[in-house]
Amino acid sequence: MHVLLPDDTRLELPEGATGADAAAAIGAGLARAALAVKVDGVERDLVAPLHDGARLEIVTPSSPDALDLLRHDTAHVLAAAVIDLYPEVRISIGPPIENGFYYDFEFPPGVTISDADFDRIEAKMREHVKADEHFRREDVTVAAALERFREQEQPYKVELIEDLVKNAPADDPVETVSLYTNGPFTDLCRGPHGPGTKRIRAFKLQSVAGAYWRGDATRTMLTRIYGTAFFSRDDLKAYLEQVEEARARDHRRLGRELELFQFSPVAPGSAFWLPNGTIVYNLLVELAREMNRPRGYTEVRTPMLYDSELWRTSGHWDKYRENMFISHVEDRDMALKPMNCPGHAHLYSLQRHSYRDLPVRYAEPGPLHRYEPSGTLHGLLRVRQFVQDDAHIFCREDQIQDEVNGCLELVFATLRRFGFEIDVELSTRPEQRIGSGELWDRAEGALIEALEGQEIAYRVNPGDGAFYGPKIDFHVTDSLGRSWQLGTVQLDYNMPERFGLVYTGADNAEHTPVMIHRAAFGSFERFIGILIEHYAGEFPLWLAPVQATLLPISDRHVPYANEIAATLRDEGVRVDVDERTESIGRKIRDAELRKVHYMLVVGDREQETGSVGLRQHREGDLGSLTVGGFAERVRDEIEQRSA
RNA sequence: GCCGGAGUAGCUCAGCUGGUAGAGCACCUGUCUUGUAAACAGGGGGUCAGGGGUUCGAGUCCCCUCUCCGGCUCCA
């Protein structure tokens, strides 16, 4: 028989040859490196027999999916080690994930695992690795597998098999399942696996966490152990260093170090913005206003606290009440707004509107409150009080196209400034929805037309739209390669209906407007959290709380420093003066640690010539410059407002 | 909210199996008057998250509450 290799060469092999045989036939080095094979594009074990004419690809450590395979192997080794240590443990699933793998266990009552146990577990794992246990596959009948796992009192495995059978398509019923065994440990597993545990050279257990069985909050909480694995110790080390780098950029840490914001137990989930952070915050709010103004938005201010009647009208009382702060006063239920849309819809209804007035575009950078469960709070990225840069557009059907186009343009213009890569996702009609199919066709069509009209590449996320309409989401990738959902544009036929919104048409009849919800930053809180990590705390000049700091050589130069500071402030530069009685070396060091862009050293020389000694963050000494020259340079740089 | 972990000076942390709280940085004072990443000396500062319990004695052991951290569910 023969197989075809990726470069289309034909490889003759004896009947019944395996992937390992094929690798050996190609070369000894490849045979040693081989982990698995891809037969006609499907991953298989190295020891699986090949069929005549198969397209064959040998999976080695340099193959794209090889790390997943290795990590899956490692997850099995973890389970084997845990069973060694806790024979009573119940096992569930253990897949590879983005940067490693996990395995979920149910430990016997009273047993808890913490990272203090990792040494013991890792030592056990190393025994399995050292033994170079081979991964052996067997295909058994469903009945045999069920019996086996029932006997071993592994209810999660039993449930998995039962569901496999239940969920199989009628024309392709599941009759057998595959089991993989390494050493004493057998697991239900689709495979494939590498040849043996010896390939697991560099692994590390990382953390332990609770995880609901099957991600369902009503079911058992299992103990999840996270780990990672690489083909070489160097790769593992590099990865751990990268994790360390991300930790150093943690916005919660930088927020405190740079005196941007703090949190306090007296207001969980709500930031206290310090003066430096407030500067950044206000600059972003101002940017949002500047984006809105020329695009026909008007700013409005609506109440924070509303009678429950409003929330019943909007549907929030049914669908969103658990996320709202509610208080009972004078026999009425009042709730803080978690979103602006109902207030804006109500505001629209307070006035009469003619078709000539539309579109009406309301923006409101005001605080929102959402009751987020305590366990979900996370620095600025998940808070209970925040401000969205959202706006609501009320328009006629025939205006949707232009308005959506305008929103797309605005979101891109806003986010691009920060040096993010932007991915666009279109979410279409969900199972649970309101409105006719025809309405959805129109709404989705309008979004698609806008995206394609502007030649924006997008991914479709079928069924993930809001119940009232389809949406376009904007995801950005930060400097650490992490993805965040920020902006959104949503079409809404529902809210205007519920609020009975109307406009008078050219035909003198009343018509229902369409509502568009849109935001570019999402929330300022989350956006600043992301920005801090994206820039590692080194904001671009236009956003930096302190743009320049005056460093007098000695006390007698302080008056001159203050004089220059006053001049620069007049020019709109944010500047401070280090008046401490400290050495210049010390002042420079502290300014560098504060990540201040420009350090202006002033001593006798500068005072005599009316200049400043310019030093730039990370760049070092740039020589001397006149005060006017520096002011001009900084002003230009600030005006560009670029990342 | 759920599971696990943690909470000691403003920050980072030490404090062995219970025996009366410590370091570095920061802060304050004094001396030095500094030329491109840390001058020197002295000093103040803690109901050991809060409450209850065990004990002759609790930062240390037990229980409850709060907050934070890592996840899960959820989410801008």
Side-chain angles (χ1 to χ4, degrees):
Chain A
M1 71 175 210
H2 76 278
V3 295
L4 283 170
L5 300 179
D7 62 357
D8 284 335
T9 54
R10 241 174 107 101
L11 181 67
E12 293 298 334
L13 290 168
E15 213 54 42
T18 66
D21 297 332
I26 298 167
L30 185 63
R32 270 195 305 278
L35 293 163
V37 288
K38 270 191 179 172
V39 179
D40 299 327
V42 181
E43 280 202 327
R44 298 266 184 238
D45 295 327
L46 223 38
V47 296
L50 301 171
H51 66 267
D52 189 38
R55 291 206 75 93
L56 182 73
E57 199 180 322
I58 311 289
V59 177
T60 68
S62 52
S63 306
D65 300 328
L67 269 179
D68 280 352
L69 188 115
L70 177 78
R71 289 165 176 171
H72 190 188
D73 288 358
T74 315
H76 278 237
V77 169
L78 168 61
V82 168
I83 288 178
D84 289 343
L85 294 167
Y86 307 90
E88 307 284 286
V89 76
R90 287 169 174 177
I91 58 174
S92 65
I93 55 166
I97 52 174
E98 181 155 2
N99 288 309
F101 64 89
Y102 66 80
Y103 210 108
D104 284 349
F105 303 95
E106 185 187 359
F107 284 91
V111 177
T112 56
I113 297 296
S114 77
D115 49 12
D117 298 299
F118 288 174
D119 281 349
R120 282 166 51 237
I121 300 172
E122 285 180 354
K124 257 303 173 217
M125 290 172 72
R126 275 191 291 274
E127 288 177 24
H128 285 273
V129 170
K130 208 170 164 194
D132 193 18
E133 295 160 351
H134 289 231
F135 286 99
R136 191 163 47 79
R137 177 189 176 112
E138 48 182 324
D139 289 278
V140 301
T141 63
V142 164
L146 282 173
E147 194 189 328
R148 183 165 183 162
F149 285 115
R150 282 204 182 105
E151 207 167 282
Q152 294 176 5
E153 295 181 45
Q154 291 293 354
Y156 298 106
K157 292 296 174 188
V158 170
E159 184 178 329
L160 286 170
I161 297 169
E162 284 170 344
D163 281 9
L164 273 177
V165 173
K166 198 164 66 192
N167 297 331
D171 56 340
D172 186 19
V174 170
E175 281 154 3
T176 65
V177 294
S178 56
L179 306 179
Y180 276 81
T181 302
N182 61 292
F185 172 63
T186 299
D187 201 354
L188 171 74
C189 181
R190 186 173 30 197
H193 277 283
T197 56
K198 204 173 172 181
R199 305 300 285 267
I200 304 166
R201 286 203 188 94
F203 70 89
K204 188 173 166 56
L205 299 183
Q206 292 177 293
S207 61
V208 57
Y212 299 111
W213 168 234
R214 307 209 127 175
D216 183 340
T218 64
R219 306 203 59 181
T220 318
M221 177 66 77
L222 304 174
T223 302
R224 175 171 296 179
I225 298 177
Y226 283 94
T228 192
F230 289 88
F231 286 104
S232 77
R233 291 188 206 289
D234 284 349
D235 288 353
L236 174 62
K237 200 172 146 225
Y239 171 72
L240 294 175
E241 278 164 10
Q242 187 195 321
V243 170
E244 195 53 39
E245 165 67 16
R247 217 173 68 86
R249 284 176 176 231
D250 191 308
H251 74 281
R252 292 165 297 187
R253 175 197 184 127
L254 287 169
R256 193 180 51 237
E257 286 174 2
L258 300 176
E259 300 185 358
L260 299 170
F261 59 85
Q262 296 253 238
F263 284 91
S264 162
V266 298
S270 301
F272 284 78
W273 289 94
L274 293 162
N276 282 345
T278 304
I279 289 172
V280 177
Y281 202 113
N282 287 342
L283 285 164
L284 291 173
V285 172
E286 188 45 41
L287 175 65
R289 286 193 168 118
E290 280 180 35
M291 300 305 284
N292 286 339
R293 223 172 279 135
R295 292 174 176 80
Y297 287 86
T298 52
E299 198 164 301
V300 296
R301 294 171 67 82
T302 57
M304 296 287 278
L305 191 61
Y306 295 85
D307 191 285
S308 60
E309 189 195 324
L310 179 99
W311 306 114
R312 284 180 218 277
T313 304
S314 69
H316 284 75
W317 201 251
D318 280 343
K319 305 243 187 243
Y320 207 74
R321 191 160 20 152
E322 309 78 61
N323 283 292
M324 291 163 66
F325 287 102
I326 297 170
S327 63
H328 191 75
V329 286
E330 291 185 335
D331 270 341
R332 310 167 70 172
D333 285 319
M334 305 289 288
L336 288 173
K337 62 177 170 189
M339 298 180 191
N340 282 315
C341 31
H344 288 180
H346 187 75
L347 176 63
Y348 177 95
S349 76
L350 294 177
Q351 297 179 301
R352 282 207 67 86
H353 297 274
S354 146
Y355 73 100
R356 297 172 191 275
D357 304 334
L358 302 184
V360 166
R361 308 183 188 88
Y362 293 146
E364 179 172 3
L368 305 175
H369 291 83
R370 293 186 190 172
Y371 168 69
E372 300 288 351
S374 56
T376 64
L377 301 176
H378 183 93
L380 291 178
L381 302 181
R382 190 78 182 275
V383 290
R384 285 179 175 164
Q385 185 196 313
F386 56 98
V387 176
Q388 284 187 324
D389 71 318
D390 67 348
H392 298 95
I393 300 170
F394 301 86
C395 68
R396 308 188 305 259
E397 284 245 8
D398 63 289
Q399 294 172 320
I400 290 176
Q401 201 64 54
D402 282 349
E403 290 307 307
V404 171
N405 274 329
C407 292
L408 292 176
E409 185 271 327
L410 179 141
V411 172
F412 275 98
T414 305
L415 294 182
R416 275 203 184 115
R417 190 185 295 276
F418 300 92
F420 289 125
E421 269 177 48
I422 304 169
D423 291 313
V424 179
E425 208 168 83
L426 172 71
S427 295
T428 56
R429 66 193 81 184
E431 293 278 318
Q432 291 288 322
R433 62 176 182 266
I434 54 139
S436 68
E438 189 217 349
L439 220 53
W440 276 90
D441 287 342
R442 279 219 300 279
E444 289 169 4
L447 294 183
I448 290 168
E449 215 177 308
L451 288 168
E452 291 181 351
Q454 297 197 31
E455 295 183 352
I456 295 166
Y458 64 97
R459 215 160 56 81
V460 179
N461 207 351
D464 212 37
F467 69 94
Y468 49 75
K471 57 177 183 167
I472 296 171
D473 290 326
F474 300 84
H475 299 254
V476 302
T477 304
D478 70 11
S479 60
L480 291 176
R482 297 171 304 186
S483 176
W484 305 92
Q485 199 227 292
L486 296 176
T488 185
V489 176
Q490 307 181 3
L491 267 190
D492 183 357
Y493 289 92
N494 179 48
M495 197 82 72
E497 191 78 47
R498 298 186 76 116
F499 277 87
L501 304 185
V502 291
Y503 65 88
T504 308
D507 56 2
N508 198 30
E510 290 195 330
H511 301 272
T512 304
V514 178
M515 202 170 163
I516 299 172
H517 310 238
R518 59 113 274 223
F521 292 126
S523 81
F524 292 104
E525 279 74 4
R526 181 176 283 182
F527 190 77
I528 292 173
I530 293 165
L531 272 193
I532 291 170
E533 303 197 359
H534 179 59
Y535 292 134
E538 298 177 18
F539 289 104
L541 190 68
W542 73 275
L543 268 179
V546 178
Q547 294 167 318
T549 182
L550 269 295
L551 308 180
I553 293 283
S554 79
D555 289 352
R556 69 174 181 278
H557 305 113
V558 168
Y560 177 63
N562 278 315
E563 206 179 292
I564 296 173
T567 307
L568 291 172
R569 283 191 193 110
D570 284 346
E571 297 278 350
V573 182
R574 292 185 292 278
V575 38
D576 63 18
V577 181
D578 189 343
E579 295 187 359
R580 293 175 304 165
T581 306
E582 285 289 353
S583 68
I584 191 66
R586 175 54 177 274
K587 291 176 184 177
I588 286 170
R589 178 183 150 81
D590 288 346
E592 289 282 354
L593 292 176
R594 287 197 296 151
K595 305 179 197 290
V596 178
H597 279 256
Y598 292 114
M599 286 150 272
L600 307 176
V601 177
V602 291
D604 291 335
R605 286 205 301 267
E606 289 75 15
Q607 196 161 346
E608 280 159 26
T609 58
S611 61
V612 294
L614 182 61
R615 181 190 166 96
Q616 193 175 345
H617 178 54
R618 285 181 180 278
E619 302 294 320
D621 194 351
L622 298 181
S624 73
L625 205 65
T626 63
V627 176
F630 173 72
E632 197 177 329
R633 170 182 177 148
V634 177
R635 219 175 34 227
D636 287 352
E637 204 181 326
I638 292 169
E639 269 167 20
Q640 285 181 12
R641 289 211 293 204
S642 62

